[in-house]
Amino acid sequence: MSTSPKIESVPARCARWLLGCALRHWPEETRPWGMALVAELDETTKPFEAIRWSLGGIMFFTRSWFTSAWKWLKLPAGSSLSNGGPQGSDFLPKRSRFFTVVILVATGLLFLLPESREAFRTVRASWLGFMLTNSDNRTLDELGTRAEKEKDASMLAFVALSTRDPKRSEKLVEESVALDPTLVWIYGAKNHRLDYYPARQEWLDRLEVADPGNAVPLLLAADALAQPKISPRYAEPDYAKLENDPQWMALMERSFTAPRYDSYMQKHFQLMRMMWERDPNLPPEIFLVGMWSHAMPDLRLVRLYGDIRLREAKKAQAAGDTEQSEKIANQVGTFGARMAGSNGPFIEQLIGIVVEHSAQVGLTELYASEGKAEEARVANSKVGELDRAVKGFNRDNPRRAEQIQTLQWEAAFVQGFGILGGIAGLAVILGILELELRSGKNRNRTSVWRRVMCLVSDYAPAALLLASGAFVVCFLPFQRALADFRASAFLPADERRITDALWSLIEVPQYMLGDDAAVAFWSFITITLSVLAISIVVWSWHRTRRAAINPA
């Protein structure tokens, strides 16, 4: 043994530190060699020799580590190299760790595909009711900030129509219209319900000036006037309060005689389409929430005013003024036909058909009472056509009912394989952690729990891969529906098809959880995964600390 003093140069200290770090993680079967390398390092007399010796030790450590890792991977979960691998009396899984790693890597690669990511993102959104998540809100905030910097009026309008932050929305609406006055229509496209934020009268005034002859700004103004005076939303309005309000009646009269009906849905759709083409990776729920929250006049009030006018027509008929009665009924019918013929949402078109149907029924009765057989026949024929049109909107329509039933079955398979994959993934984590964390305990006991964990470790990874593949394959019809919607003209028929497709995905979560249990479900998943992650970290820290205390 040399008695020369230890080298205290910086290279020697760095070399000793590197080998010391390697020694703490050195495989047990070759650890004596590592300890010998560290001991021999002190015998070097030159800095260059210390560095070369250290690099040689690091290379030897790397080879030993990879050799040990490969041997460890070829063993089943729960076994270790310290006792030479599994013994005859050990109760361990049949599959090696390498098999499990390959299956899990294949599953991970599967979900790196764009189709898989879209499937996972869309189904996850369905369990949240296609509502905006915190991540979606952050995405919208980033888009809004970027649009403000770039003075991008279209993007500002898109974010304003999609965000759920009222103050942020109002600010972006004003900025977008200031940059591009042709976007004035967004004043009437933003939802102004009382549970969101009240309509701004100055916006409606500007919209009426910018778009004269359109009934929708007048109807929105009438809604803003009526909302404080009627019952809460989704309840029947108080007819007397509104019928005796001359200001509301005047606004509704002007809207029913306006020559056009445009609720700006097509403009909203085209804006969405432009933004989707610019950024195809935006989450679909952002577009769906924007599409489904598009502002519409209160359709209950439209029907209410139509009924009020038709009652006036009957009173005029009873008073002998058949000309006035016919004029009022025709006015109501014309408005309904104008509303039904718009490119707005299907519910708007449906209410328009219902209003026109009521007017045509009134005209049929009026003409029949006056002995005008031909006019009564034409009006009655129109009633039949409107009846058939209403059936076409309903799920009772055989063709649509069959399509919806097919979508529901496909959605059930998607959700079923998704749930199976989630259960298999949790089982893989639980089984492997149970076997690995307790690798030195109860290995020879053939308890029911250990048998279950071994079976889980053997078969759950393959089940996870198969369920994930089936999940992606079963989602293909919905992926095609999303792709067709992106490539479509964004007409009401396109909106109904995508709505039918995506709404079918919600039925399974609603049936399993109910509307109020989604939060509890995702909280449970988050807490479970967090506990597993913390367990892994604590276990790794404990093993590292034990190896540092007992290096030999």
Side-chain angles (χ1 to χ4, degrees), residues 408-428:
Q408 288 172 342
W409 276 107
E410 292 171 342
F413 280 111
V414 171
Q415 297 286 11
F417 283 116
I419 293 170
L420 179 61
I423 294 173
L426 290 175
V428 169

Side-chain angles (χ1 to χ4, degrees), residues 376-492:
R377 185 192 63 79
V378 172
N380 190 56
S381 175
K382 186 65 176 178
V383 169
E385 292 177 8
L386 294 172
D387 283 332
R388 289 189 291 273
V390 170
K391 290 181 180 179
F393 281 91
N394 295 332
R395 290 178 175 233
D396 296 336
N397 179 17
R399 182 177 178 183
R400 189 185 177 205
E402 182 180 354
Q403 292 173 346
I404 291 176
Q405 187 175 18
T406 301
L407 288 170
Q408 288 172 342
W409 276 107
E410 292 171 342
F413 280 111
V414 171
Q415 297 286 11
F417 283 116
I419 293 170
L420 179 61
I423 294 173
L426 290 175
V428 169
I429 296 173
L430 177 62
I432 292 176
L433 285 180
E434 172 67 17
L435 293 173
E436 297 291 3
L437 291 177
R438 304 179 65 183
S439 58
K441 301 177 182 179
N442 304 325
R443 290 175 54 186
N444 299 328
R445 295 184 181 180
T446 58
S447 64
V448 174
W449 176 250
R450 188 166 182 83
R451 285 180 180 275
V452 170
M453 290 299 100
C454 291
L455 289 173
V456 166
S457 180
D458 281 334
Y459 298 107
L464 173 61
L465 179 60
L466 292 175
S468 301
F471 168 77
V472 174
V473 170
C474 291
F475 186 78
L476 290 178
F478 300 92
Q479 185 185 33
R480 286 193 294 270
L482 284 168
D484 291 343
F485 182 67
R486 291 191 186 101
S488 70
F490 280 50
L491 296 173

